[in-house]
Amino acid sequence: AGLWVLSNKMQLKPINYAANLSNAEEASSMYMYMHGKAIGTDVYIPAVAGLLWLQNGKYKDISHSSVCLSVLPDKNPSKLVYSGFENPTQHRGLYKGWGDKKRFYSWPTGFPISICRDTRGQIRVGAFRGQGTFTDDTILTDTTPRPYRGVICMELDPYGRLWKGTDKGLYYEM
């Protein structure tokens, strides 16, 4: 358990960020944050309290109280894509854009929890019961047989491999 980093020598090392925080309130709220992403100097942080945007040292809640699990930032805010839900039983899926221009897309194969852009520029989505792509406001589920069912997290490495943390272990595809 805890936070780990993979060094440039391919070694996992534990990190104790909470020990560096000044009070218990900051330490306990830190664990609510999921995998944040940066674009330029802006940082987007998925959190239990919503999608937070750190711009010029100030936070903005841009998801309007929805729980956010994963984010794919874009220089154009109308192309920002994130997964989450408004409440546990409704609107579980993908959101594109933010504020008044936010659009919701229901995900057909379970709750989407991971988003990544692959080497071809496609938005890949991992869910508890499958995976697929999201392109031009269209959802395509991937029915290719695989040894796993759920995709919990995804990340593209510098060599173009798409790594997937799944319900059956770690996999990658080229």
Side-chain angles (χ1 to χ4, degrees), residues 76-108:
N76 179 348
S78 68
K79 293 184 179 181
L80 172 79
V81 176
Y82 61 98
S83 70
F85 53 88
E86 296 291 333
N87 65 55
T89 60
Q90 294 179 333
H91 293 118
R92 296 184 302 176
L94 292 178
Y95 293 87
K96 183 177 179 184
W98 57 282
D100 294 339
K101 302 203 185 302
K102 178 173 72 172
R103 293 188 58 199
F104 171 74
Y105 300 86
S106 180
W107 193 257

Side-chain angles (χ1 to χ4, degrees), residues 2-63:
L3 300 172
W4 293 75
V5 65
L6 186 62
S7 74
N8 57 0
K9 295 181 181 179
M10 301 303 283
Q11 295 174 335
L12 281 174
K13 296 180 180 182
I15 298 175
N16 187 359
Y17 285 112
N20 298 325
L21 297 174
S22 60
N23 63 49
E25 182 180 331
E26 287 179 307
S28 65
S29 66
M30 188 192 108
Y31 293 108
M32 294 190 312
Y33 299 118
M34 311 294 181
H35 184 196
K37 304 255 176 119
I39 185 162
T41 58
D42 295 351
V43 178
Y44 296 85
I45 303 170
V48 172
L51 178 58
L52 304 176
W53 178 18
L54 177 61
Q55 183 183 43
N56 299 323
K58 296 183 181 179
Y59 283 107
K60 298 177 185 177
D61 178 0
I62 61 174
S63 66

Side-chain angles (χ1 to χ4, degrees), residues 96-138:
K96 183 177 179 184
W98 57 282
D100 294 339
K101 302 203 185 302
K102 178 173 72 172
R103 293 188 58 199
F104 171 74
Y105 300 86
S106 180
W107 193 257
T109 61
F111 186 52
I113 55 175
S114 182
I115 307 169
C116 183
R117 191 175 306 275
D118 68 16
T119 55
R120 295 180 303 237
Q122 291 183 0
I123 297 174
R124 304 287 296 270
V125 180
F128 283 123
R129 293 190 315 265
Q131 59 189 329
T133 59
F134 178 69
T135 308
D136 297 325
D137 299 338
T138 302

